[in-house]
Amino acid sequence: MAAGRLAAGSWRQAVALGRRRGYRCSSSSTAQKAAENIEDTQEEIVIPRRKTWDKLAVLQTLASTVNRDPTAAHYMFQDDPYLMPRNSANARLLSLSKESGRNAAKYIIKQFPQYFDKILAEPNVPCLMPVTLTPQLEGVNEEALRERINLRMVKASVDLFDQLLQAGTSVSLETTNSLLDLLCFYGDGESVQEEQREEKEDFEESGVNASEQKTRKRPLQRGPHSSGSRWRENNDAERIFKIMPERNAHSYCTMIRGMAKHGASAKAYDMYTELLNERHKADVHTFNALITAVPFLKDRSPEKWELVKVFLNHMVQQEVQPNLLTFNAVLKTLRRCGGRGRSVAISVLKEMEALKIEPSLATYEHLLCIFYRAVDLGPSSIIFEVLEDVEKRSFTAQDPDDANFFSTAMQVCCDLKDIKLAYRLNKAMEKGDNWKFLDVSQLNSYWSKFFSLLCMMEQIDVVLKWYREMPPSLFYPSPKNIVDLLQALDAANHLEAIPSVWEDVKLLGFSRRQDLLEEILSLMSRDTHPEETQLAFAKCAEDIKNVHEQSWREQAPLAWTGSALGHVAVLFSRVGRTQDAWKVMERFQQGNRIPTDQVMDEFLNCAKQTNSPDEAIKLVKLAVSLGLSSAHRLKSRAEKEFELSESQRKALESIQPDSNSSDSDSDSDSN
């Protein structure tokens, strides 16, 4: 019995175990088939062992979490709040001062490297450490010459080259070409550190005070590039080039580019002719320099374009592939070709597209100058096509003229008076890294033009919104911007905002600008406003009066004009400040100025409201002494509208206006 139960139990266990095994086998086969199907439908995922990040990735991520503070100035001016610039002129002066300080520090480190031998920076950044510019190799040999060339020591390199020739040592063609590169880059002048060293030696030898030294005047630059020196006749570069026993294409190309860079365009063209006679080929950079120098070789527009075509044909013959700078040089030359440039510019752009060369911002800047800068040219829609392309891209710097695009384009928007186009341009400027093309000075110019266009075309609420957000983080308003804002307030009948604008004028340092003061006073005194507004206007008038009367140590007090005196007197009279108004009226006689009839009537009304007959009598005396035609009328008003005592009446009757003034006054009344 027990054995039967055991057998039965064993049988049941065996059956159950078999079922479990069969189920597991079927499920595993199904899962395997499903996995194979997924592998067939999905791509293989490869997990990299290491992710390479940009060196600035962390800083860029942190910067993206911070918004611009509209109340903060540019970051370069935030070291010392006391030195925070108030306007664009102060900002430029401070930025130049900071750069001058850096250059002074670099000069001290270069001149006295023995005092800066201890490296205390942790971690050490080699590129930020002082660079050794003292020659390490002595003696008269080619290695020492190459070292001085690499250190950009122009005068020392030329002297050592001459010593090698005098010693009968030949200099290799490669080293001589490197010396020519150095001389042509600096225009046979000196590098920055060499100039500083020579000035220091001359100063020490002369033994004079720095205050007695005269400022050196740079010659007028007339070449295609504005550099610090001019190409001198028979300079060291020409002398070394003439005595070279062997010259290759690099030698000629270097001379051509140096001459073109430093204003010797005719010599560059002659050197190019000599290169062709020697059966050498020029490189693309040489052709770019020659094309840029074309406006200085020819006077008439057709001749300029023909010479450009000659250079382009030579590039085809010499199998020189043009680059972006080549087409930019062509467009830059077409800017000086008048109507011919406008007819050819589009074909140049199509040629760029055929060669698959993407335009840079400088390309577009040249196009805008060609199509919009000439006064005699008709309207064009090229800016819309340019802006459509600019909106799609984020640019990188490829041409020195790239930085001029946004300022030029904004000027075109102002000329066209197209605010929607300006908004599109501003959005394109803020895309990606395009904002980097605007330095501090160009940034101020760009936003100044944009703000002037806003004041001209936008609603006053939008203008004030931009005005609150832009200065000083984006730009410093100029006096013209303030005038544009005042005119916008006048057009929108929003003159009650003038007191706040006046506070900004004082902060910007424009409180002594006569034209700005006249504009503010004229708007405040033109019409009568509610009492609260008039009181605010009178306070502004008092500030302006104090500005005229204050005299600084280095500045003379502002001279009163007749219109300014009249506006201030009217503003004081409208708020019942009779005594202050009379002090201003006295300045008419002191400064030999003539008040208008409106000023006299406003003061008489003020005297009537404050019941001041003595001031009314003084006003009549002032009118008589100035010989005003309104003296008789003012006397009649004083007799009728004021309650005079016996002494006051006698004093008023004793004032006798001139017959000429009374006759002219009666004539004006009859008219």
Side-chain angles (χ1 to χ4, degrees), residues 511-512 514 517 541-552 555-560 565 568 572 579-587 590:
S511 58
R512 295 179 61 85
Q514 194 73 47
L517 298 181
E542 185 178 5
D543 291 341
I544 295 175
K545 175 176 173 291
N546 294 334
V547 169
H548 280 82
E549 294 177 349
Q550 288 176 351
S551 59
W552 301 91
Q555 293 179 338
L558 285 179
W560 280 103
L565 285 171
V568 174
F572 282 158
Q579 296 299 324
D580 293 333
W582 175 247
K583 291 179 180 179
V584 176
M585 296 296 295
E586 289 179 327
R587 291 188 174 274
Q590 297 173 0

Side-chain angles (χ1 to χ4, degrees), residues 225 284 407 555 625 632:
H225 301 276
V284 64
S407 182
Q555 293 179 338
S625 63
H632 184 74

Side-chain angles (χ1 to χ4, degrees), residues 604 613-624 631-657:
L604 193 61
D614 292 335
E615 274 66 27
I617 296 172
K618 293 178 182 178
L619 182 68
V620 176
K621 290 181 179 179
L622 178 64
V624 171
H632 184 74
R633 179 173 55 83
L634 293 173
K635 180 180 178 181
S636 300
R637 284 191 58 189
E639 292 174 347
K640 296 176 182 178
E641 299 177 10
F642 287 85
E643 296 181 0
L644 303 174
S645 63
E646 189 65 26
S647 59
Q648 291 172 342
R649 188 174 298 277
K650 289 181 180 180
L652 186 59
E653 291 176 353
S654 63
I655 303 174
Q656 296 298 329

Side-chain angles (χ1 to χ4, degrees), residues 36 38 43 84 202 231 306 364 469 536 616 620 660:
E36 292 176 355
I38 292 174
E43 297 180 358
M84 197 78 72
D202 295 341
W231 190 268
E306 290 300 324
Y364 296 132
E469 294 179 355
V620 176
N660 294 333

Side-chain angles (χ1 to χ4, degrees), residues 21-192:
R21 288 178 178 175
Y23 174 76
R24 289 175 181 174
C25 292
S26 61
S27 61
S28 61
S29 62
T30 304
Q32 184 177 2
K33 292 179 180 180
E36 292 176 355
N37 294 333
I38 292 174
E39 291 178 357
D40 294 338
T41 57
Q42 293 182 354
E43 297 180 358
E44 184 179 2
I45 300 175
V46 179
I47 301 176
R49 291 186 176 183
R50 180 180 180 183
K51 171 65 177 176
T52 303
W53 294 93
D54 185 12
K55 295 180 179 180
L56 302 177
V58 176
L59 292 177
Q60 291 173 350
T61 304
L62 293 175
S64 64
T65 63
V66 181
N67 295 327
R68 178 177 58 85
D69 183 4
T71 63
H74 195 275
Y75 69 89
M76 79 160 57
F77 304 130
Q78 296 181 5
D79 295 337
D80 190 346
Y82 181 76
L83 298 177
M84 197 78 72
R86 299 188 301 172
N87 49 51
S88 59
N90 293 138
R92 175 176 173 78
L93 179 61
L94 182 56
S95 60
L96 292 176
S97 301
K98 292 170 73 71
E99 186 64 25
S100 177
R102 295 190 190 97
N103 292 336
K106 293 178 181 178
Y107 173 78
I108 294 298
I109 292 176
K110 292 174 183 177
Q111 288 295 111
F112 308 101
Q114 65 273 19
Y115 301 121
F116 301 92
D117 56 348
K118 296 182 179 180
I119 299 177
L120 303 177
E122 291 292 343
N124 182 27
V125 183
C127 63
L128 299 180
M129 292 296 107
V131 180
T132 302
L133 296 178
T134 304
Q136 303 297 318
L137 299 178
E138 299 295 338
V140 181
N141 52 67
E142 189 170 342
E143 289 295 329
L145 175 60
R146 281 198 292 266
E147 181 189 31
R148 283 155 179 78
I149 293 174
N150 294 331
L151 293 177
R152 297 181 300 168
M153 302 175 67
V154 181
K155 190 170 182 284
S157 300
V158 173
D159 293 341
L160 188 55
F161 178 83
D162 293 337
Q163 293 176 16
L164 287 171
L165 294 184
Q166 292 174 2
T169 305
S170 61
V171 182
S172 64
L173 178 62
E174 180 182 0
T175 304
T176 308
N177 284 339
S178 299
L179 179 58
L180 283 180
D181 291 339
L182 182 68
L183 293 174
C184 292
F185 181 82
Y186 288 107
D188 196 42
E190 293 290 344
S191 61
V192 177

